[in-house]
Amino acid sequence: MKTLALVRHAKSSWDHPGIDDHDRPLNERGVRDAPRMAARLATEHPELRGGALLSSTALRAATTADAFADALDTTVRLDERLYGASPRRIVELAAARSESAVVVVAHDPGLSDLVRHWSGFPADGAIPHMPTCAVAVFDFDIDDWRGLESSVPDRWTYDIPRDSE
């Protein structure tokens, strides 16, 4: 069994005109939501503790990843290829890991496209979109991550900050 958690970075600030997109920090809501969602994920999915945590190098993603690393008792591995990554790139980077649990903190539209695919959207109950700090966890009945790209998850969960208030 392999578990992949996909996390969209928490809400970022637009208060600094002219700042490069890559360098945008979290806003107040993002600073509040990231640790709350991380704690919730650690409680609901203890199998993720100590697993791999990959993050985009964008400041808002790396800051979000730090909160998740604290809650999941792991360290963040920053990867510039996750900034603006396609669904295929996200899968490739996760599949390159040896741990049985991987958390990826990245951006849209890649994350939403991937979770829609794996959740079966537009079916009822499927995931239509990954708002900021949303978390989608997919369990795959595979022995090796290399089978991830052609796999269909056995089950999945989805959580958003609004649901944790």
Side-chain angles (χ1 to χ4, degrees):
M1 182 66 67
K2 302 290 184 185
T3 302
L4 176 62
L6 301 174
V7 179
R8 183 169 175 205
H9 64 79
K11 188 77 173 164
S12 62
S13 173
W14 291 91
D15 291 344
H16 310 283
I19 194 169
D20 185 71
D21 180 69
H22 192 270
D23 298 327
R24 282 191 295 119
L26 296 181
N27 69 11
E28 232 175 90
R29 189 174 101 199
V31 169
R32 181 193 72 216
D33 287 348
R36 285 186 15 214
M37 292 299 291
R40 189 171 174 136
L41 179 65
T43 298
E44 294 178 4
H45 293 278
E47 71 276 14
L48 294 169
R49 290 182 181 272
L53 197 160
L54 310 175
S55 174
S56 160
T57 54
L59 180 58
R60 61 193 180 274
T63 306
T64 301
D66 285 341
F68 280 79
D70 288 346
L72 295 170
D73 232 4
T74 192
T75 58
V76 178
R77 171 169 276 185
L78 297 175
D79 192 319
E80 63 188 15
R81 296 171 293 179
L82 284 169
Y83 181 68
S86 68
R88 170 171 253 161
R89 176 56 57 117
I90 294 167
V91 169
E92 287 171 358
L93 294 172
R97 303 301 307 169
S98 61
E99 297 85 351
S100 61
V102 176
V103 177
V104 175
V105 180
H107 310 269
D108 255 3
L111 286 176
S112 284
D113 291 345
L114 186 54
V115 300
R116 275 194 300 267
H117 169 72
W118 274 337
S119 70
F121 185 80
D124 287 341
I127 304 168
H129 173 67
M130 290 283 284
T132 53
C133 218
V135 178
V137 181
F138 297 90
D139 292 322
F140 298 89
D141 190 11
I142 55 176
D143 294 323
D144 191 301
W145 283 113
R146 288 177 294 203
L148 182 60
E149 192 167 341
S150 60
S151 294
V152 174
D154 290 325
R155 62 188 160 276
W156 55 268
T157 62
Y158 175 63
D159 195 10
I160 57 175
R162 180 181 60 209
D163 293 342
S164 67
E165 293 177 352

Short mmCIF file of all heavy atoms in Angstrom, two decimals, residues 60-130:
data_model
loop_
_atom_site.label_atom_id
_atom_site.label_comp_id
_atom_site.label_asym_id
_atom_site.label_seq_id
_atom_site.Cartn_x
_atom_site.Cartn_y
_atom_site.Cartn_z
N ARG A 60 5.47 30.61 -0.46
CA ARG A 60 4.19 30.23 0.12
C ARG A 60 4.06 28.72 0.27
O ARG A 60 3.48 28.23 1.24
CB ARG A 60 3.04 30.80 -0.70
CG ARG A 60 2.97 30.33 -2.14
CD ARG A 60 2.01 31.19 -2.95
NE ARG A 60 1.89 30.79 -4.33
CZ ARG A 60 2.68 31.18 -5.31
NH1 ARG A 60 3.71 31.98 -5.05
NH2 ARG A 60 2.46 30.79 -6.55
N ALA A 61 4.61 27.95 -0.66
CA ALA A 61 4.57 26.49 -0.57
C ALA A 61 5.55 25.99 0.49
O ALA A 61 5.21 25.12 1.30
CB ALA A 61 4.88 25.86 -1.93
N ALA A 62 6.75 26.52 0.49
CA ALA A 62 7.76 26.09 1.46
C ALA A 62 7.32 26.38 2.89
O ALA A 62 7.53 25.57 3.81
CB ALA A 62 9.10 26.76 1.16
N THR A 63 6.68 27.54 3.10
CA THR A 63 6.19 27.88 4.43
C THR A 63 5.06 26.94 4.85
O THR A 63 5.00 26.48 5.99
CB THR A 63 5.71 29.35 4.46
OG1 THR A 63 6.76 30.19 4.00
CG2 THR A 63 5.28 29.76 5.86
N THR A 64 4.18 26.63 3.91
CA THR A 64 3.11 25.66 4.18
C THR A 64 3.72 24.30 4.51
O THR A 64 3.32 23.63 5.47
CB THR A 64 2.18 25.54 2.95
OG1 THR A 64 1.61 26.82 2.67
CG2 THR A 64 1.07 24.53 3.20
N ALA A 65 4.70 23.89 3.73
CA ALA A 65 5.35 22.59 3.94
C ALA A 65 6.00 22.51 5.31
O ALA A 65 5.98 21.44 5.95
CB ALA A 65 6.37 22.34 2.84
N ASP A 66 6.57 23.60 5.78
CA ASP A 66 7.19 23.59 7.12
C ASP A 66 6.17 23.24 8.19
O ASP A 66 6.46 22.48 9.12
CB ASP A 66 7.83 24.94 7.43
CG ASP A 66 9.13 25.18 6.69
OD1 ASP A 66 9.75 24.20 6.21
OD2 ASP A 66 9.53 26.36 6.57
N ALA A 67 4.96 23.78 8.09
CA ALA A 67 3.91 23.47 9.07
C ALA A 67 3.55 21.98 9.00
O ALA A 67 3.35 21.34 10.04
CB ALA A 67 2.67 24.33 8.81
N PHE A 68 3.47 21.43 7.80
CA PHE A 68 3.14 20.02 7.64
C PHE A 68 4.29 19.13 8.14
O PHE A 68 4.06 18.09 8.74
CB PHE A 68 2.76 19.71 6.19
CG PHE A 68 1.34 20.09 5.88
CD1 PHE A 68 1.00 21.41 5.62
CD2 PHE A 68 0.33 19.14 5.88
CE1 PHE A 68 -0.31 21.78 5.36
CE2 PHE A 68 -0.99 19.50 5.63
CZ PHE A 68 -1.31 20.82 5.36
N ALA A 69 5.52 19.55 7.90
CA ALA A 69 6.68 18.79 8.38
C ALA A 69 6.67 18.69 9.90
O ALA A 69 6.94 17.63 10.47
CB ALA A 69 7.98 19.42 7.89
N ASP A 70 6.36 19.81 10.56
CA ASP A 70 6.29 19.80 12.03
C ASP A 70 5.24 18.81 12.52
O ASP A 70 5.50 18.03 13.44
CB ASP A 70 5.97 21.20 12.56
CG ASP A 70 7.13 22.17 12.42
OD1 ASP A 70 8.27 21.73 12.16
OD2 ASP A 70 6.87 23.39 12.55
N ALA A 71 4.07 18.84 11.93
CA ALA A 71 2.98 17.98 12.37
C ALA A 71 3.22 16.51 12.04
O ALA A 71 2.76 15.62 12.76
CB ALA A 71 1.66 18.43 11.74
N LEU A 72 3.94 16.25 10.95
CA LEU A 72 4.14 14.88 10.48
C LEU A 72 5.50 14.30 10.88
O LEU A 72 5.86 13.20 10.47
CB LEU A 72 3.99 14.81 8.96
CG LEU A 72 2.60 15.12 8.44
CD1 LEU A 72 2.61 15.28 6.92
CD2 LEU A 72 1.61 14.04 8.87
N ASP A 73 6.25 15.04 11.66
CA ASP A 73 7.54 14.55 12.15
C ASP A 73 8.48 14.15 11.00
O ASP A 73 9.02 13.04 10.99
CB ASP A 73 7.31 13.35 13.06
CG ASP A 73 7.99 13.49 14.39
OD1 ASP A 73 8.57 14.55 14.63
OD2 ASP A 73 7.93 12.54 15.18
N THR A 74 8.63 15.03 10.07
CA THR A 74 9.50 14.76 8.92
C THR A 74 10.21 16.04 8.51
O THR A 74 10.07 17.07 9.17
CB THR A 74 8.69 14.14 7.75
OG1 THR A 74 9.58 13.65 6.77
CG2 THR A 74 7.71 15.13 7.15
N THR A 75 10.98 15.98 7.46
CA THR A 75 11.68 17.16 6.95
C THR A 75 11.20 17.46 5.53
O THR A 75 10.71 16.57 4.83
CB THR A 75 13.20 16.96 6.94
OG1 THR A 75 13.51 15.82 6.15
CG2 THR A 75 13.74 16.77 8.35
N VAL A 76 11.36 18.69 5.13
CA VAL A 76 10.93 19.14 3.81
C VAL A 76 12.08 18.99 2.82
O VAL A 76 13.21 19.40 3.12
CB VAL A 76 10.49 20.62 3.84
CG1 VAL A 76 10.10 21.09 2.45
CG2 VAL A 76 9.36 20.83 4.83
N ARG A 77 11.78 18.43 1.68
CA ARG A 77 12.72 18.41 0.57
C ARG A 77 12.16 19.36 -0.49
O ARG A 77 11.12 19.07 -1.09
CB ARG A 77 12.87 17.01 0.01
CG ARG A 77 13.69 17.02 -1.29
CD ARG A 77 14.04 15.66 -1.69
NE ARG A 77 15.24 15.35 -0.92
CZ ARG A 77 15.95 14.26 -1.05
NH1 ARG A 77 15.57 13.33 -1.88
NH2 ARG A 77 17.02 14.06 -0.35
N LEU A 78 12.84 20.50 -0.69
CA LEU A 78 12.40 21.48 -1.68
C LEU A 78 12.82 21.04 -3.08
O LEU A 78 13.94 20.55 -3.27
CB LEU A 78 13.00 22.85 -1.38
CG LEU A 78 12.57 23.49 -0.05
CD1 LEU A 78 13.34 24.80 0.17
CD2 LEU A 78 11.08 23.73 -0.03
N ASP A 79 11.91 21.22 -4.02
CA ASP A 79 12.20 20.83 -5.41
C ASP A 79 11.60 21.89 -6.34
O ASP A 79 10.38 22.04 -6.41
CB ASP A 79 11.60 19.46 -5.71
CG ASP A 79 12.11 18.88 -7.00
OD1 ASP A 79 12.25 19.63 -8.00
OD2 ASP A 79 12.38 17.66 -7.03
N GLU A 80 12.47 22.60 -7.02
CA GLU A 80 12.01 23.68 -7.91
C GLU A 80 11.11 23.17 -9.03
O GLU A 80 10.31 23.93 -9.58
CB GLU A 80 13.20 24.44 -8.48
CG GLU A 80 14.08 23.60 -9.36
CD GLU A 80 15.36 24.30 -9.78
OE1 GLU A 80 15.73 25.32 -9.17
OE2 GLU A 80 16.01 23.80 -10.71
N ARG A 81 11.17 21.89 -9.35
CA ARG A 81 10.33 21.34 -10.41
C ARG A 81 8.85 21.29 -10.02
O ARG A 81 7.99 21.11 -10.88
CB ARG A 81 10.83 19.94 -10.82
CG ARG A 81 12.23 19.97 -11.42
CD ARG A 81 12.78 18.60 -11.61
NE ARG A 81 13.00 17.97 -10.31
CZ ARG A 81 13.46 16.73 -10.15
NH1 ARG A 81 13.74 15.98 -11.19
NH2 ARG A 81 13.64 16.24 -8.94
N LEU A 82 8.53 21.45 -8.74
CA LEU A 82 7.13 21.46 -8.30
C LEU A 82 6.47 22.82 -8.48
O LEU A 82 5.26 22.93 -8.38
CB LEU A 82 7.03 21.01 -6.84
CG LEU A 82 7.18 19.52 -6.63
CD1 LEU A 82 7.33 19.20 -5.14
CD2 LEU A 82 6.00 18.77 -7.23
N TYR A 83 7.25 23.86 -8.76
CA TYR A 83 6.69 25.18 -9.00
C TYR A 83 6.05 25.17 -10.39
O TYR A 83 6.74 25.05 -11.40
CB TYR A 83 7.77 26.25 -8.89
CG TYR A 83 7.27 27.66 -9.10
CD1 TYR A 83 6.41 28.25 -8.19
CD2 TYR A 83 7.66 28.39 -10.21
CE1 TYR A 83 5.95 29.54 -8.37
CE2 TYR A 83 7.22 29.69 -10.40
CZ TYR A 83 6.36 30.26 -9.48
OH TYR A 83 5.90 31.54 -9.66
N GLY A 84 4.72 25.24 -10.44
CA GLY A 84 4.01 25.20 -11.72
C GLY A 84 3.99 23.82 -12.36
O GLY A 84 3.78 23.70 -13.56
N ALA A 85 4.17 22.78 -11.56
CA ALA A 85 4.27 21.42 -12.09
C ALA A 85 2.96 20.91 -12.67
O ALA A 85 1.88 21.17 -12.15
CB ALA A 85 4.75 20.46 -11.00
N SER A 86 3.08 20.15 -13.73
CA SER A 86 1.94 19.45 -14.34
C SER A 86 1.60 18.24 -13.48
O SER A 86 2.42 17.78 -12.67
CB SER A 86 2.31 18.99 -15.75
OG SER A 86 3.30 17.96 -15.66
N PRO A 87 0.41 17.67 -13.68
CA PRO A 87 0.09 16.44 -12.96
C PRO A 87 1.13 15.34 -13.19
O PRO A 87 1.52 14.65 -12.26
CB PRO A 87 -1.27 16.04 -13.53
CG PRO A 87 -1.89 17.34 -13.93
CD PRO A 87 -0.73 18.16 -14.45
N ARG A 88 1.57 15.21 -14.42
CA ARG A 88 2.57 14.17 -14.74
C ARG A 88 3.86 14.38 -13.95
O ARG A 88 4.43 13.44 -13.41
CB ARG A 88 2.85 14.14 -16.22
CG ARG A 88 4.04 13.25 -16.55
CD ARG A 88 4.22 13.03 -18.00
NE ARG A 88 3.79 11.65 -18.19
CZ ARG A 88 3.43 11.14 -19.31
NH1 ARG A 88 3.41 11.86 -20.39
NH2 ARG A 88 3.08 9.89 -19.38
N ARG A 89 4.32 15.64 -13.86
CA ARG A 89 5.56 15.92 -13.11
C ARG A 89 5.36 15.62 -11.63
O ARG A 89 6.24 15.07 -10.98
CB ARG A 89 5.96 17.39 -13.32
CG ARG A 89 7.18 17.86 -12.53
CD ARG A 89 8.43 17.02 -12.78
NE ARG A 89 8.77 17.00 -14.16
CZ ARG A 89 9.88 17.48 -14.70
NH1 ARG A 89 10.79 18.04 -13.93
NH2 ARG A 89 10.09 17.39 -15.99
N ILE A 90 4.21 15.98 -11.07
CA ILE A 90 3.93 15.69 -9.66
C ILE A 90 4.01 14.18 -9.41
O ILE A 90 4.64 13.73 -8.46
CB ILE A 90 2.56 16.26 -9.25
CG1 ILE A 90 2.57 17.79 -9.31
CG2 ILE A 90 2.16 15.77 -7.85
CD1 ILE A 90 1.20 18.44 -9.23
N VAL A 91 3.39 13.41 -10.28
CA VAL A 91 3.41 11.95 -10.16
C VAL A 91 4.83 11.42 -10.29
O VAL A 91 5.26 10.57 -9.50
CB VAL A 91 2.47 11.29 -11.20
CG1 VAL A 91 2.67 9.80 -11.26
CG2 VAL A 91 1.02 11.63 -10.88
N GLU A 92 5.59 11.92 -11.25
CA GLU A 92 6.98 11.47 -11.44
C GLU A 92 7.82 11.72 -10.19
O GLU A 92 8.60 10.86 -9.78
CB GLU A 92 7.62 12.21 -12.62
CG GLU A 92 7.14 11.77 -13.97
CD GLU A 92 7.64 12.69 -15.09
OE1 GLU A 92 8.35 13.70 -14.81
OE2 GLU A 92 7.33 12.39 -16.26
N LEU A 93 7.69 12.89 -9.60
CA LEU A 93 8.49 13.23 -8.43
C LEU A 93 8.09 12.39 -7.22
O LEU A 93 8.95 11.94 -6.45
CB LEU A 93 8.39 14.72 -8.13
CG LEU A 93 9.02 15.62 -9.21
CD1 LEU A 93 8.70 17.08 -8.94
CD2 LEU A 93 10.52 15.39 -9.29
N ALA A 94 6.80 12.16 -7.03
CA ALA A 94 6.34 11.30 -5.93
C ALA A 94 6.81 9.87 -6.16
O ALA A 94 7.26 9.19 -5.22
CB ALA A 94 4.83 11.36 -5.81
N ALA A 95 6.72 9.40 -7.39
CA ALA A 95 7.07 8.01 -7.71
C ALA A 95 8.57 7.74 -7.58
O ALA A 95 8.98 6.58 -7.50
CB ALA A 95 6.60 7.66 -9.12
N ALA A 96 9.37 8.78 -7.53
CA ALA A 96 10.81 8.60 -7.39
C ALA A 96 11.23 8.34 -5.95
O ALA A 96 12.39 8.02 -5.68
CB ALA A 96 11.53 9.85 -7.92
N ARG A 97 10.31 8.42 -5.02
CA ARG A 97 10.61 8.23 -3.60
C ARG A 97 10.55 6.74 -3.22
O ARG A 97 9.85 5.96 -3.86
CB ARG A 97 9.63 9.02 -2.72
CG ARG A 97 9.59 10.50 -3.01
CD ARG A 97 10.91 11.19 -2.83
NE ARG A 97 11.45 10.90 -1.51
CZ ARG A 97 12.69 11.18 -1.14
NH1 ARG A 97 13.52 11.75 -1.98
NH2 ARG A 97 13.10 10.90 0.07
N SER A 98 11.22 6.39 -2.15
CA SER A 98 11.19 5.00 -1.69
C SER A 98 10.25 4.80 -0.51
O SER A 98 9.86 3.67 -0.22
CB SER A 98 12.61 4.56 -1.30
OG SER A 98 13.10 5.38 -0.24
N GLU A 99 9.88 5.88 0.18
CA GLU A 99 8.99 5.77 1.34
C GLU A 99 7.61 5.30 0.91
O GLU A 99 7.19 5.50 -0.22
CB GLU A 99 8.86 7.12 2.04
CG GLU A 99 10.15 7.66 2.62
CD GLU A 99 10.99 8.44 1.61
OE1 GLU A 99 10.68 8.45 0.40
OE2 GLU A 99 11.99 9.05 2.04
N SER A 100 6.88 4.68 1.82
CA SER A 100 5.52 4.22 1.48
C SER A 100 4.49 5.34 1.56
O SER A 100 3.38 5.19 1.09
CB SER A 100 5.10 3.06 2.39
OG SER A 100 5.08 3.49 3.73
N ALA A 101 4.87 6.48 2.15
CA ALA A 101 3.98 7.63 2.24
C ALA A 101 4.72 8.87 1.76
O ALA A 101 5.86 9.13 2.17
CB ALA A 101 3.51 7.82 3.68
N VAL A 102 4.05 9.63 0.89
CA VAL A 102 4.64 10.85 0.34
C VAL A 102 3.61 11.97 0.42
O VAL A 102 2.44 11.77 0.08
CB VAL A 102 5.09 10.65 -1.13
CG1 VAL A 102 5.60 11.96 -1.73
CG2 VAL A 102 6.14 9.55 -1.24
N VAL A 103 4.05 13.14 0.86
CA VAL A 103 3.24 14.35 0.87
C VAL A 103 3.88 15.32 -0.11
O VAL A 103 5.10 15.52 -0.08
CB VAL A 103 3.18 14.99 2.28
CG1 VAL A 103 2.39 16.29 2.26
CG2 VAL A 103 2.62 14.01 3.30
N VAL A 104 3.06 15.91 -0.99
CA VAL A 104 3.54 16.89 -1.95
C VAL A 104 2.79 18.20 -1.73
O VAL A 104 1.57 18.22 -1.72
CB VAL A 104 3.33 16.41 -3.41
CG1 VAL A 104 3.73 17.50 -4.40
CG2 VAL A 104 4.10 15.12 -3.67
N VAL A 105 3.55 19.28 -1.54
CA VAL A 105 2.97 20.62 -1.40
C VAL A 105 3.31 21.38 -2.67
O VAL A 105 4.49 21.58 -2.98
CB VAL A 105 3.51 21.37 -0.17
CG1 VAL A 105 2.89 22.76 -0.06
CG2 VAL A 105 3.26 20.56 1.11
N ALA A 106 2.27 21.78 -3.40
CA ALA A 106 2.52 22.42 -4.69
C ALA A 106 1.40 23.40 -5.03
O ALA A 106 0.78 23.97 -4.12
CB ALA A 106 2.69 21.36 -5.77
N HIS A 107 1.14 23.58 -6.31
CA HIS A 107 0.30 24.67 -6.82
C HIS A 107 -0.77 24.16 -7.78
O HIS A 107 -0.70 23.06 -8.29
CB HIS A 107 1.17 25.68 -7.57
CG HIS A 107 2.37 26.12 -6.81
ND1 HIS A 107 2.36 27.22 -5.99
CD2 HIS A 107 3.63 25.59 -6.72
CE1 HIS A 107 3.56 27.36 -5.44
NE2 HIS A 107 4.34 26.39 -5.87
N ASP A 108 -1.69 25.07 -8.06
CA ASP A 108 -2.65 24.86 -9.13
C ASP A 108 -2.10 25.48 -10.41
O ASP A 108 -1.26 26.37 -10.33
CB ASP A 108 -3.99 25.54 -8.77
CG ASP A 108 -5.03 24.53 -8.35
OD1 ASP A 108 -4.70 23.34 -8.27
OD2 ASP A 108 -6.16 24.94 -8.11
N PRO A 109 -2.51 25.01 -11.56
CA PRO A 109 -3.61 24.09 -11.80
C PRO A 109 -3.23 22.60 -11.71
O PRO A 109 -4.10 21.74 -11.75
CB PRO A 109 -4.06 24.44 -13.22
CG PRO A 109 -2.81 24.87 -13.89
CD PRO A 109 -2.01 25.60 -12.83
N GLY A 110 -1.94 22.30 -11.59
CA GLY A 110 -1.49 20.91 -11.58
C GLY A 110 -2.15 20.04 -10.54
O GLY A 110 -2.58 18.92 -10.82
N LEU A 111 -2.26 20.55 -9.30
CA LEU A 111 -2.87 19.75 -8.24
C LEU A 111 -4.35 19.49 -8.51
O LEU A 111 -4.81 18.35 -8.38
CB LEU A 111 -2.71 20.44 -6.88
CG LEU A 111 -1.31 20.38 -6.27
CD1 LEU A 111 -1.27 21.18 -4.98
CD2 LEU A 111 -0.87 18.95 -6.02
N SER A 112 -5.09 20.52 -8.87
CA SER A 112 -6.52 20.31 -9.14
C SER A 112 -6.74 19.35 -10.29
O SER A 112 -7.62 18.50 -10.24
CB SER A 112 -7.22 21.65 -9.43
OG SER A 112 -7.42 22.38 -8.24
N ASP A 113 -5.94 19.47 -11.32
CA ASP A 113 -6.07 18.55 -12.46
C ASP A 113 -5.83 17.11 -12.02
O ASP A 113 -6.57 16.21 -12.41
CB ASP A 113 -5.08 18.92 -13.58
CG ASP A 113 -5.42 20.23 -14.27
OD1 ASP A 113 -6.55 20.73 -14.11
OD2 ASP A 113 -4.53 20.75 -14.98
N LEU A 114 -4.83 16.90 -11.19
CA LEU A 114 -4.51 15.54 -10.74
C LEU A 114 -5.59 14.98 -9.82
O LEU A 114 -6.03 13.84 -10.00
CB LEU A 114 -3.14 15.54 -10.04
CG LEU A 114 -2.60 14.18 -9.62
CD1 LEU A 114 -2.54 13.21 -10.79
CD2 LEU A 114 -1.20 14.37 -9.00
N VAL A 115 -6.05 15.76 -8.86
CA VAL A 115 -7.07 15.24 -7.94
C VAL A 115 -8.40 15.02 -8.64
O VAL A 115 -9.13 14.08 -8.30
CB VAL A 115 -7.24 16.08 -6.66
CG1 VAL A 115 -5.95 16.16 -5.87
CG2 VAL A 115 -7.78 17.45 -6.94
N ARG A 116 -8.72 15.85 -9.62
CA ARG A 116 -9.95 15.60 -10.40
C ARG A 116 -9.84 14.25 -11.11
O ARG A 116 -10.79 13.47 -11.11
CB ARG A 116 -10.17 16.72 -11.42
CG ARG A 116 -10.88 17.92 -10.88
CD ARG A 116 -11.38 18.85 -11.99
NE ARG A 116 -10.33 19.37 -12.83
CZ ARG A 116 -9.70 20.53 -12.62
NH1 ARG A 116 -10.03 21.29 -11.59
NH2 ARG A 116 -8.77 20.93 -13.43
N HIS A 117 -8.71 13.99 -11.70
CA HIS A 117 -8.50 12.73 -12.41
C HIS A 117 -8.65 11.53 -11.46
O HIS A 117 -9.41 10.60 -11.73
CB HIS A 117 -7.12 12.73 -13.07
CG HIS A 117 -6.70 11.41 -13.60
ND1 HIS A 117 -7.26 10.86 -14.74
CD2 HIS A 117 -5.80 10.52 -13.13
CE1 HIS A 117 -6.70 9.68 -14.95
NE2 HIS A 117 -5.82 9.45 -14.00
N TRP A 118 -7.94 11.57 -10.34
CA TRP A 118 -7.94 10.42 -9.43
C TRP A 118 -9.24 10.28 -8.65
O TRP A 118 -9.58 9.19 -8.19
CB TRP A 118 -6.76 10.48 -8.49
CG TRP A 118 -5.51 9.89 -9.06
CD1 TRP A 118 -5.42 8.96 -10.06
CD2 TRP A 118 -4.18 10.17 -8.66
NE1 TRP A 118 -4.11 8.66 -10.30
CE2 TRP A 118 -3.32 9.38 -9.46
CE3 TRP A 118 -3.63 11.01 -7.72
CZ2 TRP A 118 -1.94 9.41 -9.32
CZ3 TRP A 118 -2.25 11.04 -7.58
CH2 TRP A 118 -1.42 10.25 -8.38
N SER A 119 -9.97 11.37 -8.45
CA SER A 119 -11.22 11.26 -7.69
C SER A 119 -12.42 10.98 -8.58
O SER A 119 -13.52 10.76 -8.09
CB SER A 119 -11.47 12.54 -6.88
OG SER A 119 -11.79 13.62 -7.73
N GLY A 120 -12.21 10.99 -9.90
CA GLY A 120 -13.29 10.66 -10.82
C GLY A 120 -14.23 11.79 -11.15
O GLY A 120 -15.34 11.56 -11.61
N PHE A 121 -13.79 13.04 -10.92
CA PHE A 121 -14.63 14.18 -11.26
C PHE A 121 -15.00 14.10 -12.74
O PHE A 121 -14.18 13.76 -13.56
CB PHE A 121 -13.88 15.49 -10.98
CG PHE A 121 -14.71 16.71 -11.20
CD1 PHE A 121 -15.61 17.12 -10.23
CD2 PHE A 121 -14.62 17.44 -12.37
CE1 PHE A 121 -16.39 18.25 -10.43
CE2 PHE A 121 -15.40 18.56 -12.58
CZ PHE A 121 -16.28 18.96 -11.60
N PRO A 122 -16.25 14.31 -13.12
CA PRO A 122 -17.31 15.06 -12.45
C PRO A 122 -18.32 14.21 -11.68
O PRO A 122 -19.42 14.68 -11.43
CB PRO A 122 -17.98 15.79 -13.60
CG PRO A 122 -17.88 14.84 -14.74
CD PRO A 122 -16.56 14.13 -14.54
N ALA A 123 -18.01 13.00 -11.32
CA ALA A 123 -18.95 12.17 -10.56
C ALA A 123 -19.30 12.85 -9.23
O ALA A 123 -18.50 13.62 -8.69
CB ALA A 123 -18.34 10.80 -10.28
N ASP A 124 -20.48 12.56 -8.72
CA ASP A 124 -20.89 13.11 -7.43
C ASP A 124 -19.88 12.74 -6.36
O ASP A 124 -19.44 11.60 -6.28
CB ASP A 124 -22.26 12.57 -7.03
CG ASP A 124 -23.39 13.17 -7.84
OD1 ASP A 124 -23.18 14.24 -8.45
OD2 ASP A 124 -24.48 12.57 -7.88
N GLY A 125 -19.51 13.71 -5.56
CA GLY A 125 -18.58 13.48 -4.47
C GLY A 125 -17.12 13.58 -4.86
O GLY A 125 -16.24 13.56 -4.01
N ALA A 126 -16.82 13.68 -6.16
CA ALA A 126 -15.44 13.81 -6.60
C ALA A 126 -14.93 15.22 -6.32
O ALA A 126 -15.70 16.14 -6.07
CB ALA A 126 -15.33 13.47 -8.08
N ILE A 127 -13.63 15.41 -6.38
CA ILE A 127 -13.00 16.68 -6.06
C ILE A 127 -12.97 17.58 -7.30
O ILE A 127 -12.28 17.27 -8.26
CB ILE A 127 -11.57 16.46 -5.54
CG1 ILE A 127 -11.56 15.51 -4.34
CG2 ILE A 127 -10.92 17.80 -5.18
CD1 ILE A 127 -10.19 15.01 -3.95
N PRO A 128 -13.67 18.71 -7.26
CA PRO A 128 -13.68 19.60 -8.43
C PRO A 128 -12.50 20.55 -8.48
O PRO A 128 -12.10 20.99 -9.55
CB PRO A 128 -14.98 20.37 -8.26
CG PRO A 128 -15.19 20.42 -6.78
CD PRO A 128 -14.63 19.12 -6.24
N HIS A 129 -11.94 20.90 -7.30
CA HIS A 129 -10.93 21.97 -7.24
C HIS A 129 -10.19 21.87 -5.92
O HIS A 129 -10.76 21.47 -4.91
CB HIS A 129 -11.65 23.32 -7.36
CG HIS A 129 -10.76 24.50 -7.16
ND1 HIS A 129 -9.75 24.84 -8.02
CD2 HIS A 129 -10.73 25.43 -6.18
CE1 HIS A 129 -9.14 25.92 -7.58
NE2 HIS A 129 -9.73 26.30 -6.47
N MET A 130 -8.94 22.28 -5.91
CA MET A 130 -8.14 22.33 -4.69
C MET A 130 -7.98 23.80 -4.26
O MET A 130 -7.10 24.50 -4.74
CB MET A 130 -6.75 21.73 -4.94
CG MET A 130 -6.74 20.24 -5.13
SD MET A 130 -6.92 19.30 -3.60
CE MET A 130 -5.29 19.45 -2.90
#
